[in-house]
Amino acid sequence: IIICHNESYRCVSSLTKEEAKQKAEDIRKLLTKANFGTLAIKYSDEPAANVTKGNLGWVSEKDPYDKTFLNATFSLQENQISPLVETIFGFHIIIVYEKKNEEVLSIAEVKDQIEQTLSAEKQDLVFQDYLKKLRENSKIIIFLKKEEKN
């Protein structure tokens, strides 16, 4: 959940920094693991919160998130609610539902996914080539209706 303020980067808000912090603290007091999604939909300034319910999915330390946000996230234990985390985007409240070690998958585990991706890319190339040929071999004639003179 993020609450931004009038000094936040990439966020429009009429709240002052102090008001945003107070709002975030009030939300944090209401927060449980069970109601996180509901409160994210209701209060979060994150643009897609009504769809994601505040869930970012799996997060890696290599992800392009704010370093303060990542450090706070990776310092939490499973199911722990963070204190307020201030970044240039506003005040964040974070819950980590599950942690797992990064892993390297074998070719056998990702073979089907690789084949699907390569097939989709090849289909797209063939389609783009088809469209290009259609454009090259098309003749466009524009018929304009003559204006009637009064």
Side-chain angles (χ1 to χ4, degrees):
I1 296 174
I2 182 169
I3 306 300
C4 62
H5 48 79
N6 58 8
E7 297 175 37
S8 297
Y9 178 69
R10 291 187 348 190
C11 185
V12 177
S13 175
S14 60
L15 297 177
T16 66
K17 192 173 188 178
E18 294 76 28
E19 290 169 334
K21 184 176 183 179
Q22 185 59 56
K23 181 178 178 181
E25 287 173 350
D26 293 343
I27 294 166
R28 189 182 182 288
K29 290 175 187 171
L30 301 172
L31 198 60
T32 65
K33 178 183 173 186
N35 70 7
F36 186 88
T38 303
L39 293 181
I41 290 170
K42 187 171 183 178
Y43 296 112
S44 184
D45 290 324
E46 194 270 314
N50 60 333
V51 175
T52 65
K53 299 179 183 177
N55 188 336
L56 299 178
W58 291 105
V59 175
S60 163
E61 290 177 288
K62 297 172 188 158
D63 285 339
Y65 292 115
D66 180 276
K67 291 298 176 200
T68 303
F69 176 85
L70 285 174
N71 290 340
T73 301
F74 284 94
S75 71
L76 295 172
Q77 299 301 313
E78 287 185 4
N79 302 314
Q80 181 183 3
I81 300 172
S82 73
L84 295 187
V85 177
E86 184 179 359
T87 70
I88 62 171
F89 303 102
F91 294 97
H92 304 261
I93 308 168
I94 307 163
I95 293 180
V96 173
Y97 288 101
E98 184 180 355
K99 286 185 166 190
K100 68 177 184 177
N101 293 328
E102 289 188 52
E103 57 186 325
V104 176
L105 301 174
S106 70
I107 282 287
E109 293 173 291
V110 294
K111 181 181 180 223
D112 290 341
Q113 185 179 357
I114 292 170
E115 287 175 350
Q116 288 174 352
T117 301
L118 292 174
S119 176
E121 287 175 0
K122 186 173 183 176
Q123 287 175 12
D124 186 56
L125 287 172
V126 168
F127 181 69
Q128 294 303 322
D129 188 50
Y130 172 72
L131 285 178
K132 181 180 176 186
K133 287 178 183 172
L134 280 178
R135 285 187 197 106
E136 289 171 354
N137 296 321
S138 296
K139 185 175 184 180
I140 299 173
I141 301 172
I142 301 174
F143 295 97
L144 297 175
K145 186 176 180 181
K146 285 188 176 183
E147 290 184 32
E148 293 181 26
K149 294 182 180 179
N150 292 334

